[in-house]
Amino acid sequence: MLFYSTENPTKKTDLREALLKGLADDNGLYMPESIPALPPDILRRLGTLSFHEMAYWMAAPFMEAELGTRKLKALIEDAFDFEVPLVPICRDIASLELFHGPTLAFKDFGARFLARLLGHFTKESQQEVTILVATSGDTGSAVANGFLGVPGIRVFVLYPSGLVSSSQEKQFTTLGHNITALEIQGTFDDCQRLVKQAFLDRDLRNRMTLTSANSISLGRLIPQMFYYAWAAAQMLPEMVKQQKKLIASVPSGNFGNLTAGLMAKKMGIPIHHFIAATNVNDIVPIWLETGSYRPRPSIATLANAMDVGTPSNFARILDLYGNDHKAVCEDISGYRYTDEEIRNIMRTCYRETGYILDPHGATGYEALRSFLEKSPDYGGFFVETAHPAKFPESVESTLQIHLTVPEKLQEFLRREKKSVVLTKQFETFKDFLSEA
Ligand SMILES: *Cc1c(COP(=O)(O)O)cnc(C)c1O
């Protein structure tokens, strides 16, 4: 399988190069040249596959030829050594809990898969690779932990000083070894800009092999398809019995997670409709409603991993639908929530169902609930992107409860933070990298 850039569909690249580059030279995002449907007999027996088998069938068209069947299967088994439960919350609504990985957030899926893929390619070529990753919270911890100790790879995590919760910060500033945390005096958008600029900088590129692990990386996008297939396969029999259509609701920031869902749909996974749920950074919901795309500086919210003013995967969604606004609107509905609404959602859900939502999942849950109220011929799941204990300040104050901190998190909290503070000027960052 070859991959093209959203900026130039005629120029194609192989998997290895697409992974090592992260972003194409022309600043476009890599897309697979085709998104083949699953074989009909696999689609028929979707419900009988294990998570690992499902992942294999979803990944195979994109990388089996390059990696070989054995390597691909081993990589999947190694990356996903944790549970992916689909938990019923109330009538017609289930929570797809993607927070059972090592950093308790869904980004573990993409990061662990990508780390193993890159590890495979660097081992083959004995080439040292430098990874730059900008994070508003969860990406940094997932990527840093995913790559910790992978030979031949160094990771620099850029994060906005003071805008990341202390428990998130501890998960990528305490690791040491091949992981360095850079505390940038600016916003998440500044961090993202620094990373993008570094990729376009000739000097730096001549000096080192730079690659990205942000949600723009194909190596993160592809594994995010797996759990949509997995959840759909489990919910489908009940939906068919009730003659309902399946819908998935996705709390979104950079829109990598939703893009992967749309790709899974293209492969034949029977999810009829999607919801893009956001906080007040509602650039995509506005675009869905008006057709007018206006990126703007991000606003800080309770659901801070979705504080994105320039959604980096938006170009992929446009590409998937051939720039057809109407076609996108047929598949996606947009919803957005203020912080006050998010708190109310968390309270109501807890009171009525006993389920503890985190602030991100709360947007997905409520959007789904609202949608089902108007469209009772649907049923579905929302993606619960992080464990509530990752946001103890907001969850405890909102629900007036005491959360027990999972052991995986306590372990991080006990360690000592180490970071390098840098201004948001590109030159400072470049000098630092050049000497690192
Ligand atoms: C990253 C993240 C999101 C947003 O995912 P995108 O793929 O950027 O849309 C939502 N919730 C949590 C907890 C996250 O870490």
Side-chain angles (χ1 to χ4, degrees), residues 125-147:
S125 62
Q126 301 198 323
Q127 175 185 19
E128 161 120 334
V129 171
T130 301
I131 292 194
L132 300 180
V133 56
T135 183
S136 57
D138 278 336
T139 307
S141 48
V143 169
N145 282 276
F147 281 97

Side-chain angles (χ1 to χ4, degrees), residues 105-107 136-139 168 215 220 224 250-258 305-306 308 313 358 360-361 384-386 391:
F106 89 95
K107 291 193 176 72
S136 57
D138 278 336
T139 307
Q168 282 179 327
S215 58
R220 282 185 44 184
Q224 291 180 357
V250 189
S252 296
N254 270 316
F255 283 79
N257 202 358
L258 181 60
M306 309 186 334
V308 180
N313 275 285
D358 96 290
H360 305 81
E384 185 36 297
T385 47
F391 308 93

Side-chain angles (χ1 to χ4, degrees), residues 43-327:
L43 277 172
R44 257 194 310 276
R45 56 186 188 88
L46 228 43
T48 67
L49 303 182
S50 69
F51 184 84
H52 289 158
E53 288 166 339
M54 183 78 80
Y56 163 74
W57 284 105
M58 297 294 286
F62 307 104
M63 53 188 72
E64 186 171 29
E66 289 79 1
L67 297 179
T69 308
R70 278 239 313 272
K71 179 80 209 172
L72 175 57
K73 287 185 171 172
L75 201 146
I76 286 170
E77 278 167 31
D78 187 40
F80 309 114
D81 59 352
F82 49 88
E83 284 190 6
V84 192
L86 185 70
V87 180
I89 304 299
C90 55
R91 215 178 110 82
D92 297 330
I93 298 184
S95 169
L96 178 61
E97 293 187 348
L98 301 182
F99 56 69
H100 296 274
T103 72
L104 307 178
F106 89 95
K107 291 193 176 72
D108 284 329
F109 284 84
R112 288 176 65 82
F113 193 76
L114 171 64
R116 282 153 185 78
L117 266 182
L118 275 177
H120 167 78
F121 285 120
T122 53
K123 193 166 146 200
E124 243 182 9
S125 62
Q126 301 198 323
Q127 175 185 19
E128 161 120 334
V129 171
T130 301
I131 292 194
L132 300 180
V133 56
T135 183
S136 57
D138 278 336
T139 307
S141 48
V143 169
N145 282 276
F147 281 97
L148 180 63
V150 175
I153 301 184
R154 327 183 274 174
V155 179
F156 294 91
V157 181
L158 288 77
Y159 73 103
S161 181
L163 296 178
V164 169
S165 82
S166 59
S167 103
Q168 282 179 327
E169 192 179 27
K170 285 264 175 144
Q171 292 174 66
F172 54 81
T173 56
T174 60
L175 298 168
H177 301 283
N178 57 336
I179 315 293
T180 307
L182 303 179
E183 188 169 350
I184 306 296
Q185 295 168 320
T187 62
F188 170 61
D189 289 340
D190 291 320
C191 298
Q192 241 177 351
R193 175 180 49 80
L194 289 174
V195 169
K196 278 199 174 171
Q197 216 168 328
F199 283 125
L200 297 174
D201 192 280
R202 283 231 163 139
D203 287 351
L204 279 178
R205 298 204 76 143
N206 288 338
R207 220 173 292 188
M208 53 186 84
T209 307
L210 285 178
T211 187
S212 152
N214 270 3
S215 58
I216 52 175
S217 172
L218 257 184
R220 282 185 44 184
L221 192 65
I222 288 169
Q224 291 180 357
M225 295 190 298
F226 306 162
Y227 46 73
Y228 287 96
W230 169 245
Q234 286 173 84
M235 272 199 110
L236 207 60
E238 186 56 28
M239 292 294 114
V240 169
K241 205 159 88 194
Q242 296 184 31
Q243 299 195 314
K244 289 191 178 190
K245 291 176 278 192
L246 185 60
I247 179 168
S249 178
V250 189
S252 296
N254 270 316
F255 283 79
N257 202 358
L258 181 60
T259 302
L262 298 170
M263 287 169 59
K265 178 176 167 67
K266 272 218 154 174
M267 293 184 77
I269 300 304
I271 299 177
H272 197 266
H273 197 74
F274 285 86
I275 293 175
T278 69
N279 55 31
V280 291
N281 295 284
D282 57 352
I283 290 86
V284 172
I286 289 180
W287 177 78
L288 288 166
E289 284 149 25
T290 66
S292 152
Y293 184 66
R294 299 254 161 82
R296 51 174 207 259
S298 63
I299 301 166
T301 77
L302 274 182
N304 67 10
M306 309 186 334
D307 293 349
V308 180
T310 310
S312 60
N313 275 285
F314 184 68
R316 281 196 169 115
I317 296 184
L318 285 181
D319 191 85
L320 273 175
Y321 288 86
N323 274 301
D324 183 344
H325 177 260
K326 193 163 153 269

Side-chain angles (χ1 to χ4, degrees), residues 306-382:
M306 309 186 334
D307 293 349
V308 180
T310 310
S312 60
N313 275 285
F314 184 68
R316 281 196 169 115
I317 296 184
L318 285 181
D319 191 85
L320 273 175
Y321 288 86
N323 274 301
D324 183 344
H325 177 260
K326 193 163 153 269
V328 180
C329 291
E330 273 164 27
D331 281 1
I332 313 176
S333 302
Y335 288 79
R336 90 274 282 158
Y337 299 98
T338 64
D339 277 2
E340 196 192 336
E341 288 169 325
I342 289 174
R343 286 194 194 271
N344 283 330
I345 297 161
M346 290 164 67
R347 281 189 205 108
T348 310
C349 178
Y350 184 58
R351 194 177 57 234
E352 290 177 356
T353 71
Y355 193 73
I356 301 175
L357 292 162
D358 96 290
H360 305 81
T363 66
Y365 165 81
E366 180 61 15
L368 179 55
R369 210 193 53 75
S370 309
F371 185 97
L372 296 184
E373 231 168 48
K374 287 206 208 99
S375 313
D377 53 332
Y378 280 87
F381 62 90
F382 68 98

